[in-house]
Amino acid sequence: MKKTSLKDIAQQAGVSTALVSYVLNGKEKETRVGEAIAHKIREIAKELNYQPNHLAKSLRSGKTYTIGLIIADISNPFFANIARVVEDEAKKNGYTVIIGSCDEHAEKSWDLLNVLINRQVDGFIIVSCEGSESQVHYLKERNIPFVLLDRHFPEIQTDFVATNNYKASYDAGIHLIQSGYSRIGIMAYKSNMYHMEERVRGYKHALRDNHIEFRDSWLKEVHFESMDSEVKTAIDEILASEQRVDAMIFATYGLAINALKYINELRLKVPSDLAIVSFGQAEVFDLYYCPITYVRQPLEMLGKTSVEFLLEKLKTPDEGMKQILMEAKLIARESSKPKPAALSG
Amino acid sequence: MKKTSLKDIAQQAGVSTALVSYVLNGKEKETRVGEAIAHKIREIAKELNYQPNHLAKSLRSGKTYTIGLIIADISNPFFANIARVVEDEAKKNGYTVIIGSCDEHAEKSWDLLNVLINRQVDGFIIVSCEGSESQVHYLKERNIPFVLLDRHFPEIQTDFVATNNYKASYDAGIHLIQSGYSRIGIMAYKSNMYHMEERVRGYKHALRDNHIEFRDSWLKEVHFESMDSEVKTAIDEILASEQRVDAMIFATYGLAINALKYINELRLKVPSDLAIVSFGQAEVFDLYYCPITYVRQPLEMLGKTSVEFLLEKLKTPDEGMKQILMEAKLIARESSKPKPAALSG
DNA sequence: AAAAACGGCTTAATCGTTTAAACAAAAAAT
DNA sequence: ATTTTTTGTTTAAACGATTAAGCCGTTTTT
């Protein structure tokens, strides 16, 4: 039972494939196909349950209506959700998305890029990982349309859609300070990715603007790959420092999860022993005995806009760069509630 | 800067495209291509950074090396993770995966199916949703290879890879009983999906085998779509029943998350006020103030095996059905620790 | 010496579409 | 009555690969 093709319909109708193609693509008007025959063709197509072969279409047209979505880490619920949004938005526009996770490895990202290029995706949406600058340059050179999502490289001119991480982190810091905390630590990934640097920078400026002297021992940078062990060490150290912190910002969801587990092991009470603000939304933060204050990034908007940008780029490739920074929102919960001492002070 | 094709290489080398194809596909021996020319072709290919066009290959060969993965609910971390496993395993075998989530809607599932069929995927791996039997029949009729994953229809002969839900649920019940709980409730989705029925059946049999009389008020079935509100009502009711339960089994991860939030609101202590066992693994269960006992399904094996089955089916379509039920494992934690009273009794 | 085999290459059909160009017949304009 | 226009249709090339079949010298076999 082979799939029915244009040819089959043409044969049954006793016409050429051209007519069938015209009719089934709604071009009967422009190409002046006869009423009767057009009707007949549609009937037969329905009867034979004709489904066009996308491969052939794409080969001919050079368009696959497929978007490659390369994500730095799909196990992160933030990215998983953003992937969903992208998929939905793309589907609405008749595009299919092929998702790949590079698990924060630039090499894997190269592989994915090549696989997807071979599959002739029309363009890419990319959550870049560290060390993938060359890939971005490659895409630019090859003139392959793409939009960077959530993370971008300030030194490379590209389209991008991202969060204002500096501001988000600054806000997180201010919030803690206003809640009465003054010795505030931050845990981030050891990385020279811009979004991560911005988060640290925002935090530092929040301290500075409130005349709190930043101390090196308050900044803990851990490696993504060995997060499990390094987080524990980092927590131990940051709590042992002579100026013991009374609050912490976690620059990512993954860090927060890991740290909270350890904090539980240590029997530390949140927020009385340690207040917490974290990046990244997830159900988990509702479920923790003390609901975690978190920075909510505009997930839906980020995803939607990235698709929008890309589709526009596909339509009119020569329009200028589109770049946007969106504001995150701090959701204040119990884990950073005003320090009792601060109320009277 | 067009992509380089076989033709380009052929022109540069001054030969026909046939030779280029032979060489680049490693068929130079069988097709007796001259040493020198073969070498030259390879050089030029490298120089022009030739990347074969997958569309053309697929159109010609009828194979896309693409698998369609249709998932009932990708926002469930269990399925998200299984998707990752499937993707990885497929990639290892040179296949690309196109993932789609139908969000538990049979209609959306139909759409996805059609989109992917048009894209000529070689086969499907499907986590079915309720009411999608007709789709399974359709695939069978059309002779499109597929494997059902995690959920299957006992009345339809298909390949499938799933968990032994009956056993898993039975074990969960036994575990609670042995820990001293005797009034055990269960919350499940209102659904006639087999996997859900099996979970309820296993639970009931655990009670029966321990001479505990099952009470209708202990079984709470809620609708997936209106879960948020129904879960609360269900919890209220199950706690108000004359024989108030002292333990609960949650048949899915989503139910557990929802219920735990409400249980927190009610200031119920786990496990002293209510012991808990849940299906589905996730970091969350480590993070809850009282680590949740859960049924760990063999996620990696499920995913891997489903790919294996499908690839075998693609190779030798006429081999018989492959069906496998895998055993889950109960991970006992604090949320179901032995009841103090039970220790002395 | 003729026939067969081999080595090295090209030709051309094919996969399923799209679409510009050509064509023929009918209708309209001159 | 001829030319032009319009209408409805077919032809065939193209997308980029694969591959059976063909071709033509050279070498080997008989």
Side-chain angles (χ1 to χ4, degrees):
Chain A
M1 195 96 66
K2 284 251 334 269
K3 274 198 69 173
T4 64
S5 69
L6 276 194
K7 224 191 212 166
D8 300 328
I9 301 181
Q11 245 153 21
Q12 279 239 3
V15 297
S16 71
T17 62
L19 274 202
V20 181
S21 172
Y22 290 143
V23 171
L24 264 29
N25 286 297
K27 307 207 173 156
E28 36 185 317
K29 286 279 152 351
E30 303 106 282
T31 56
R32 304 165 309 209
V33 181
E35 272 277 316
I37 212 76
H39 186 255
K40 188 173 177 187
I41 285 171
R42 267 190 295 268
E43 287 290 297
I44 296 178
K46 193 171 290 176
E47 190 184 329
L48 297 184
N49 186 32
Y50 170 72
Q51 308 276 125
N53 182 323
H54 231 276
L55 294 176
K57 272 181 126 100
S58 296
L59 180 58
R60 179 61 220 261
S61 67
K63 301 209 65 203
T64 55
Y65 292 94
T66 304
I67 294 174
L69 175 62
I70 298 183
I71 294 247
D73 177 19
I74 195 75
S75 70
N76 181 326
F78 172 68
F79 291 132
N81 277 313
I82 231 175
R84 268 189 87 184
V85 173
V86 167
E87 208 192 319
D88 284 355
E89 188 66 15
K91 206 182 297 168
K92 268 184 215 154
N93 290 276
Y95 279 76
T96 298
V97 176
I98 302 185
I99 305 172
S101 174
C102 73
D103 304 333
E104 302 283 6
H105 289 302
E107 211 181 324
K108 232 177 149 181
S109 180
W110 257 125
D111 287 348
L112 279 171
L113 209 62
N114 280 320
V115 168
L116 295 180
I117 288 176
N118 289 4
R119 301 221 164 210
Q120 317 294 125
V121 298
D122 291 340
F124 285 94
I125 295 177
I126 303 179
V127 179
S128 307
C129 66
E130 190 160 17
S132 64
E133 288 91 338
S134 56
Q135 299 169 32
V136 174
H137 282 125
Y138 178 73
L139 290 173
K140 282 187 78 171
E141 270 170 35
R142 293 260 323 245
N143 234 21
I144 299 173
F146 69 96
V147 174
L148 297 189
L149 176 56
D150 189 61
R151 304 174 178 181
H152 70 287
F153 303 99
E155 72 278 14
I156 312 179
Q157 268 292 314
T158 64
D159 293 57
F160 68 78
V161 178
T163 307
N164 187 341
N165 284 296
Y166 170 80
K167 178 70 167 22
S169 200
Y170 184 87
D171 288 350
I174 295 293
H175 166 74
L176 282 171
I177 293 168
Q178 286 180 346
S179 299
Y181 303 91
S182 56
R183 298 185 308 282
I184 303 169
I186 186 169
M187 189 180 292
Y189 286 133
K190 177 107 201 103
S191 158
N192 44 33
M193 292 287 290
Y194 184 67
H195 73 288
M196 201 47 69
E197 291 176 345
E198 284 290 278
R199 290 181 187 181
V200 173
R201 196 166 67 89
Y203 148 81
K204 283 183 176 170
H205 281 189
L207 294 188
R208 185 199 62 192
D209 291 355
N210 285 273
H211 316 294
I212 300 178
E213 195 191 343
F214 165 73
R215 305 177 173 250
D216 287 337
S217 60
W218 286 353
L219 169 61
K220 288 298 170 188
E221 298 184 303
V222 306
H223 293 93
F224 177 77
E225 313 82 40
S226 46
M227 177 166 42
D228 290 18
S229 63
E230 287 187 35
V231 162
K232 296 190 181 184
T233 320
I235 296 265
D236 285 341
E237 286 174 4
I238 208 167
L239 290 176
S241 68
E242 87 268 40
Q243 277 270 41
R244 183 192 175 289
V245 300
D246 55 5
M248 276 199 80
I249 296 175
F250 294 105
T252 78
Y253 166 81
L255 288 170
I257 294 291
N258 252 283
L260 285 173
K261 279 189 208 174
Y262 188 55
I263 286 170
N264 273 346
E265 274 179 42
L266 295 177
R267 303 262 173 261
L268 287 175
K269 282 296 160 215
V270 176
S272 54
D273 293 332
L274 188 67
I276 283 171
V277 175
S278 175
F279 272 76
Q281 62 262 66
E283 297 155 318
V284 191
F285 293 150
D286 291 358
L287 208 60
Y288 197 63
Y289 69 89
C290 169
I292 302 294
T293 297
Y294 63 91
V295 172
R296 176 158 70 203
Q297 293 172 260
L299 195 145
E300 292 84 8
M301 277 305 272
L302 285 169
K304 270 193 163 184
T305 310
S306 68
V307 174
E308 244 171 55
F309 277 19
L310 183 59
L311 296 192
E312 279 170 24
K313 183 135 217 161
L314 292 178
K315 238 184 222 153
T316 55
D318 297 325
E319 265 180 20
M321 297 289 180
K322 290 198 168 61
Q323 309 184 327
I324 194 168
L325 276 189
M326 299 184 171
E327 297 305 322
K329 193 177 174 196
L330 190 87
I331 309 293
R333 325 279 272 314
E334 307 260 315
S335 74
S336 63
K337 75 173 172 199
K339 214 173 180 174
L343 287 175
S344 59
Chain B
M1 196 98 65
K2 286 251 332 268
K3 273 197 69 174
T4 63
S5 71
L6 274 195
K7 222 191 213 165
D8 301 328
I9 301 181
Q11 242 151 24
Q12 278 240 2
V15 297
S16 71
T17 62
L19 273 202
V20 181
S21 172
Y22 290 144
V23 170
L24 264 29
N25 287 298
K27 304 206 174 156
E28 36 184 318
K29 285 280 151 353
E30 303 106 281
T31 56
R32 302 165 310 208
V33 181
E35 273 276 315
I37 211 79
H39 185 254
K40 188 173 176 187
I41 287 171
R42 265 190 296 267
E43 287 289 298
I44 296 177
K46 192 170 293 175
E47 190 184 328
L48 299 184
N49 186 31
Y50 171 70
Q51 308 274 124
N53 182 321
H54 233 277
L55 294 176
K57 272 178 125 102
S58 296
L59 180 59
R60 180 62 221 257
S61 67
K63 301 209 65 200
T64 55
Y65 292 95
T66 304
I67 295 175
L69 175 61
I70 298 182
I71 295 246
D73 176 20
I74 196 76
S75 70
N76 181 327
F78 173 68
F79 290 132
N81 277 312
I82 231 174
R84 269 190 88 185
V85 174
V86 167
E87 207 192 320
D88 284 355
E89 188 66 14
K91 206 180 299 167
K92 268 185 214 154
N93 291 276
Y95 279 75
T96 298
V97 176
I98 301 185
I99 304 174
S101 174
C102 72
D103 305 332
E104 303 283 5
H105 289 302
E107 210 181 324
K108 231 177 150 182
S109 179
W110 257 124
D111 287 349
L112 280 170
L113 210 61
N114 280 321
V115 168
L116 295 179
I117 288 176
N118 288 4
R119 301 224 163 208
Q120 318 293 126
V121 299
D122 291 340
F124 286 94
I125 295 176
I126 302 178
V127 179
S128 307
C129 67
E130 192 160 14
S132 64
E133 289 91 338
S134 55
Q135 299 170 32
V136 174
H137 281 125
Y138 178 72
L139 290 173
K140 282 186 78 171
E141 269 170 35
R142 293 258 326 244
N143 234 20
I144 298 173
F146 69 96
V147 174
L148 298 190
L149 176 55
D150 190 59
R151 305 174 177 181
H152 70 287
F153 302 100
E155 73 278 13
I156 312 178
Q157 269 292 314
T158 65
D159 294 56
F160 69 79
V161 178
T163 308
N164 187 340
N165 285 297
Y166 170 79
K167 178 69 165 26
S169 200
Y170 184 87
D171 288 350
I174 295 293
H175 166 74
L176 283 169
I177 293 168
Q178 286 181 347
S179 299
Y181 303 92
S182 55
R183 299 184 308 281
I184 303 170
I186 186 168
M187 189 181 291
Y189 287 133
K190 178 103 200 108
S191 157
N192 45 32
M193 292 287 291
Y194 184 66
H195 74 287
M196 201 48 69
E197 291 177 344
E198 284 289 278
R199 289 180 187 181
V200 173
R201 197 168 64 91
Y203 148 81
K204 284 183 176 171
H205 281 189
L207 295 187
R208 184 198 62 190
D209 292 355
N210 285 273
H211 315 296
I212 300 177
E213 195 190 343
F214 165 73
R215 300 171 178 254
D216 287 337
S217 60
W218 288 353
L219 168 62
K220 289 297 171 190
E221 297 183 304
V222 307
H223 292 94
F224 177 77
E225 313 82 41
S226 46
M227 176 165 43
D228 290 19
S229 62
E230 287 188 36
V231 162
K232 296 189 180 184
T233 320
I235 296 264
D236 286 340
E237 287 175 3
I238 208 167
L239 291 174
S241 66
E242 88 268 42
Q243 276 270 41
R244 181 192 177 288
V245 299
D246 55 5
M248 278 200 76
I249 296 174
F250 293 104
T252 77
Y253 165 81
L255 288 171
I257 294 292
N258 253 283
L260 284 173
K261 280 190 206 172
Y262 188 56
I263 286 171
N264 274 346
E265 277 178 39
L266 295 177
R267 305 262 174 258
L268 286 177
K269 283 296 160 213
V270 176
S272 53
D273 294 332
L274 188 67
I276 283 170
V277 175
S278 176
F279 273 76
Q281 61 262 65
E283 297 155 317
V284 190
F285 293 149
D286 292 359
L287 210 59
Y288 197 63
Y289 71 87
C290 168
I292 302 293
T293 298
Y294 64 91
V295 172
R296 175 158 73 205
Q297 293 173 261
L299 194 145
E300 291 84 7
M301 277 305 272
L302 285 168
K304 269 193 163 184
T305 310
S306 67
V307 174
E308 243 170 57
F309 277 19
L310 183 59
L311 296 193
E312 279 169 25
K313 185 137 216 159
L314 292 177
K315 238 184 222 153
T316 55
D318 296 326
E319 263 180 22
M321 297 289 180
K322 289 197 169 61
Q323 310 184 327
I324 194 167
L325 276 187
M326 298 184 174
E327 297 304 323
K329 196 178 171 193
L330 190 87
I331 309 292
R333 325 278 271 315
E334 307 260 317
S335 75
S336 64
K337 76 174 172 198
K339 214 174 181 173
L343 287 174
S344 59

